[in-house]
């Protein structure tokens, strides 16, 4: 296999991944995988022509881990031009997901998974919302630190477990805006309008690849946020969440610790923002409506969780 052809193949991959706005880290991972597949199939060409023999590709990756199989198919799907062939590779991923979901239902988790999130589902996480609300209602001193912290737990649980979108730790630095003329293109902002609320994310990990995100807050969550803002307004008029211990808004590290403490207290399990995203993705993939979606619709569904479909399959899939 000539070095000249291998270099041409790598250049072909790089050019096409760049056209798809794939992040540098994901691109490196995809290129490494496809380079190995090309070598394993003893293919001498400089394009993805070998992907037409889908049975041969499947035979090669069948000996690899679930993660590697999904990553291989995702890399191919990302830059494949042939729509019909692309759909066949999408079906391969769907088959793997169905197989994994069956194992999950039967409790066939890895040892690492059992030690971290056990056999919890996203619906299980949502059960902490009424638990926190009950504790909040039982606190008589509404000016106490305990009430403030519990109320903050309640709102955090609502925004992470009830909103249709799911970000990482970006709720920690949300600025409250009451006049839309004051909106800017750099901060994460919650715009309070007469009847509705809109949240704009301009600052997050993969903003460069997927762009700013803007969502309207659903009525139920909107009502709870309004009450929280009125209650906490005397503490901090600018930020949605405030660290009373440090007398300032949270940074990502402390906000992450806050989320873990919240789940540890109410579910007796330390759950990170990353675990929440993983469980949300698992719920999405077994949703009957998701299985009916075409490739474009699935991509949009994953973008509600601040990443593309390929990223979800690599990083948020149960292994």
């Amino acid at each position: 296999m000539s070095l000249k052809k291998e270099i041409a193949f790598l250049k072909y991959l790089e050019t096409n991944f760049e056209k798809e706005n794939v992040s540098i880290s994901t691109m490196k991972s995809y290129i490494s995988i496809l380079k190995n597949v090309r070598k394993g199939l003893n293919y001498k060409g400089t394009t993805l022509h070998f992907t037409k023999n889908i049975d041969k590709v499947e035979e090669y990756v069948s000996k690899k881990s679930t993660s590697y199989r999904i990553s291989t198919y995702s890399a191919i799907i990302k830059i494949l031009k042939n729509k019909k062939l692309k759909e066949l590779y999408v079906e391969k991923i769907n088959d793997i997901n169905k197989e994994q979901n069956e194992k999950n239902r039967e409790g066939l988790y890895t040892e690492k998974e059992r030690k971290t999130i056990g056999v919890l589902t996203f619906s299980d996480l949502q059960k902490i919302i009424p638990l926190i609300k009950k504790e909040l209602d039982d606190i008589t001193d509404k000016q106490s630190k305990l009430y403030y912290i519990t109320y903050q737990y309640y709102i955090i649980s609502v925004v992470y477990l009830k909103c249709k979108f799911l970000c990482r730790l970006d709720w920690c630095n949300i600025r409250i805006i009451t006049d839309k003329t004051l909106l800017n293109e750099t901060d994460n902002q919650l715009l309070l309008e007469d009847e509705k609320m809109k949240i704009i994310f301009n600052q997050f990990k993969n903003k460069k690849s997927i762009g700013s995100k803007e969502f309207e807050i659903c009525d139920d969550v909107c009502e709870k946020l309004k009450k929280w803002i009125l209650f906490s307004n005397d503490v901090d008029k600018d930020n949605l969440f405030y660290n009373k211990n440090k007398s300032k808004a949270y940074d990502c590290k402390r906000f992450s610790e806050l989320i873990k403490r919240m789940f540890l207290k109410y579910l007796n399990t330390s759950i990170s923002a990353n675990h929440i995203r993983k469980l949300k993705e698992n719920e999405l993939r077994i949703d009957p409506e998701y299985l009916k979606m075409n490739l474009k619709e699935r991509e949009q569904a994953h973008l509600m969780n601040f990443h593309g479909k390929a990223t979800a399959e690599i990083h948020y899939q149960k292994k």
Side-chain angles (χ1 to χ4, degrees):
M1 197 176 290
S2 74
L3 179 61
K4 187 176 180 181
K5 283 191 174 182
E6 183 172 332
I7 292 172
F9 176 69
L10 297 178
K11 184 64 179 176
Y12 167 83
L13 294 180
E14 186 177 336
T15 300
N16 281 278
F17 282 129
E18 283 178 346
K19 288 179 182 177
E20 297 297 325
N21 292 320
V22 175
S23 69
I24 294 175
S25 59
T26 302
M27 186 192 303
K28 286 180 179 178
S29 175
Y30 280 173
I31 289 176
S32 176
I33 288 169
L34 293 179
K35 178 184 174 183
N36 290 335
V37 175
R38 176 180 182 263
K39 183 179 179 180
L41 297 178
N42 197 28
Y43 175 66
K44 296 179 173 61
T46 59
T47 65
L48 288 181
H49 186 75
F50 68 86
T51 60
K52 289 185 177 180
N53 193 337
I54 193 167
D55 292 334
K56 201 168 183 180
V57 174
E58 184 178 24
E59 183 183 354
Y60 173 77
V61 300
S62 64
K63 302 168 187 176
K64 308 291 183 180
S65 67
T66 300
S67 176
Y68 191 93
R69 290 160 63 200
I70 289 177
S71 298
T72 301
Y73 295 146
S74 298
I76 292 171
I77 289 166
K78 197 67 180 176
I79 55 175
L80 202 59
K81 308 300 180 190
N82 186 316
K83 290 184 178 180
K84 288 185 178 179
L85 188 57
K86 184 181 284 191
E87 286 293 337
L88 291 176
Y89 279 102
V90 169
E91 284 306 310
K92 291 295 179 186
I93 291 179
N94 289 341
D95 290 342
I96 295 172
N97 286 336
K98 287 176 184 177
E99 178 187 327
Q100 286 301 112
N101 288 330
E102 284 303 315
K103 288 181 179 179
N104 293 345
R105 290 191 190 98
E106 294 169 13
L108 301 178
Y109 291 82
T110 65
E111 188 61 29
K112 182 179 178 182
E113 194 108 56
R114 277 191 285 268
K115 287 180 179 178
T116 52
I117 59 174
V119 291
L120 290 173
T121 65
F122 188 76
S123 297
D124 290 329
L125 298 189
Q126 291 178 316
K127 293 175 183 177
I128 74 167
I129 297 176
L131 293 178
I132 303 174
K133 184 63 168 65
K134 184 180 184 307
E135 183 173 314
L136 184 67
D137 292 340
D138 289 343
I139 300 172
T140 55
D141 185 357
K142 310 301 182 187
Q143 302 302 315
S144 66
K145 182 179 178 180
L146 176 61
Y147 187 81
Y148 182 87
I149 292 172
T150 307
Y151 202 163
Q152 189 163 243
Y153 277 155
Y154 177 61
I155 297 300
I156 290 171
S157 69
V158 167
V159 296
Y160 271 97
L161 303 173
K162 284 295 185 182
C163 286
K164 291 182 179 180
F165 59 90
L166 182 59
C167 64
R168 294 175 180 83
L169 293 167
D170 306 297
W171 277 103
C172 78
N173 58 351
I174 299 291
R175 291 186 62 236
I176 299 170
I177 304 292
T178 55
D179 182 353
K180 63 181 179 181
T181 62
L182 298 177
L183 289 172
N184 61 58
E185 296 181 357
T186 56
D187 295 324
N188 294 333
Q189 299 148 102
L190 182 67
L191 177 62
L192 310 185
E193 299 180 299
D194 291 339
E195 298 295 329
K196 297 180 180 179
M197 282 186 187
K198 186 184 294 182
I199 192 159
I200 303 104
F201 291 98
N202 290 314
Q203 193 180 102
F204 53 93
K205 182 179 178 181
N206 56 332
K207 189 250 176 118
K208 185 177 179 181
S209 59
I210 68 174
S212 295
K213 306 302 273 180
E214 184 176 306
F215 304 98
E216 189 171 292
I217 304 292
C218 65
D219 291 343
D220 181 45
V221 176
C222 182
E223 199 60 38
K224 291 176 174 59
L225 280 174
K226 281 180 180 178
K227 291 179 180 179
W228 164 251
I229 290 169
L230 286 173
F231 169 79
S232 62
N233 193 245
D234 61 327
V235 177
D236 188 2
K237 293 177 168 49
D238 296 319
N239 297 285
L240 186 62
F241 298 114
Y242 187 79
N243 186 347
K244 268 192 166 185
N245 291 333
K246 298 295 180 180
S247 300
K248 62 181 181 180
Y250 286 97
D251 56 26
C252 285
K253 181 181 178 181
R254 294 194 179 280
F255 197 66
S256 174
E257 292 168 353
L258 183 69
I259 291 173
K260 289 178 182 178
R261 285 200 304 272
M262 175 181 75
F263 283 107
L264 190 60
K265 178 177 181 179
Y266 295 100
L267 280 185
N268 201 30
T269 306
S270 179
I271 301 289
S272 68
N274 198 51
H275 285 141
I276 299 173
R277 288 158 63 76
K278 185 172 185 178
L279 293 175
K280 183 73 177 288
E281 280 296 328
N282 288 334
E283 182 183 73
L284 174 63
R285 283 194 300 274
I286 62 175
D287 186 336
E289 293 303 314
Y290 176 80
L291 298 176
K292 296 176 186 175
M293 294 178 184
N294 59 36
L295 191 63
K296 187 175 180 180
E297 290 170 334
R298 290 184 182 186
E299 183 69 21
Q300 290 302 312
H302 287 287
L303 284 173
M304 293 293 284
N305 295 332
F306 283 60
H307 50 240
K309 182 174 179 295
T311 301
E313 286 159 351
I314 295 171
H315 299 292
Y316 298 102
Q317 159 106 14
K318 280 186 182 294
K319 303 298 191 295

